[in-house]
Amino acid sequence: MRMQGGGRAVTPDGPDALTGSFDDFYEASAPKAMRLALLLTSSPDDADDVTHDAFVGMLQRWPEIEDPAAYLRRSIANGAASTYRRRAGRRAREERLRSAIATAAPPPAEYLADQIEALPFPQRAVIVLKYFADLTEREIADATGMRPGSVGPTLARALDRLRKETDHEH
């Protein structure tokens, strides 16, 4: 991937030797950046995303970056930390869901589908986007136009209503 950018002389280790463009910095730094991201994320896909995002961010700010190598390392570390937090949150949600499922006898699939369909649309949308599309609360808010702080309470109300309906019927 070649990216365009103008500027000054840079090397992957500091702001003072190569021939100067963002392209030169990218070409010299990309393999090392990818290795760093891979070590931090333990996932080739996540490492690729983190590295790509770091370089895109750099390209947008290229003229104002004083130490490109330091900026790149920081961007990759921040991106990897965000990836780690998303994964940890997803694992916690999956564990809570597994725990909830393990403690309740599952209703027939058609019954559950009917109960979900009977929910008010915002609750139905949050349930479907969360558990069937595997979206984060932020992604659900973006998809539905809800405020991010409304997604969690809406999900809690929907789950509470489904539990009551399931307990009441069975």
Side-chain angles (χ1 to χ4, degrees):
M1 167 168 78
R2 298 279 296 169
M3 296 185 161
Q4 298 301 312
R8 64 199 168 287
V10 294
T11 70
D13 297 313
D16 50 29
L18 262 174
T19 57
S21 71
F22 178 83
D23 283 344
D24 293 334
F25 178 78
Y26 175 82
E27 292 299 324
S29 303
K32 191 174 185 179
M34 184 64 173
R35 279 191 302 277
L36 175 61
L38 184 57
L39 290 168
L40 291 171
T41 64
S42 301
S43 162
D45 290 336
D46 289 340
D48 188 51
D49 290 344
V50 165
T51 303
H52 178 266
D53 291 348
F55 278 115
V56 168
M58 287 188 76
L59 180 59
Q60 293 169 345
R61 293 171 187 81
W62 185 248
E64 60 202 51
I65 297 172
E66 291 183 27
D67 186 347
Y71 187 97
L72 179 61
R73 287 189 301 271
R74 180 64 179 226
S75 294
I76 289 171
N78 287 342
S82 294
T83 298
Y84 177 80
R85 285 190 298 274
R86 278 192 304 274
R87 267 198 242 142
R90 187 174 298 128
R91 281 192 300 270
R93 287 188 302 276
E94 289 169 356
E95 183 54 40
R96 285 192 305 270
L97 182 58
R98 275 193 292 281
S99 176
I101 290 170
T103 60
E110 7 1 286
Y111 174 78
L112 188 56
D114 290 343
Q115 296 306 313
I116 292 171
E117 188 175 328
L119 291 171
F121 183 78
Q123 292 179 9
R124 179 178 1 152
V126 169
I127 289 284
V128 169
L129 293 170
K130 175 75 173 160
Y131 295 109
F132 296 95
D134 194 34
L135 298 183
T136 66
E137 287 190 17
R138 172 49 111 189
E139 292 167 330
I140 293 169
D142 290 343
T144 61
M146 294 177 132
R147 290 187 334 246
S150 298
V151 173
T154 302
L155 178 62
R157 285 191 300 277
L159 290 172
D160 186 52
R161 187 167 173 175
L162 288 174
R163 273 190 217 100
K164 287 177 182 173
E165 291 292 326
T166 303
D167 290 344
H168 178 37
E169 298 290 326
H170 285 93

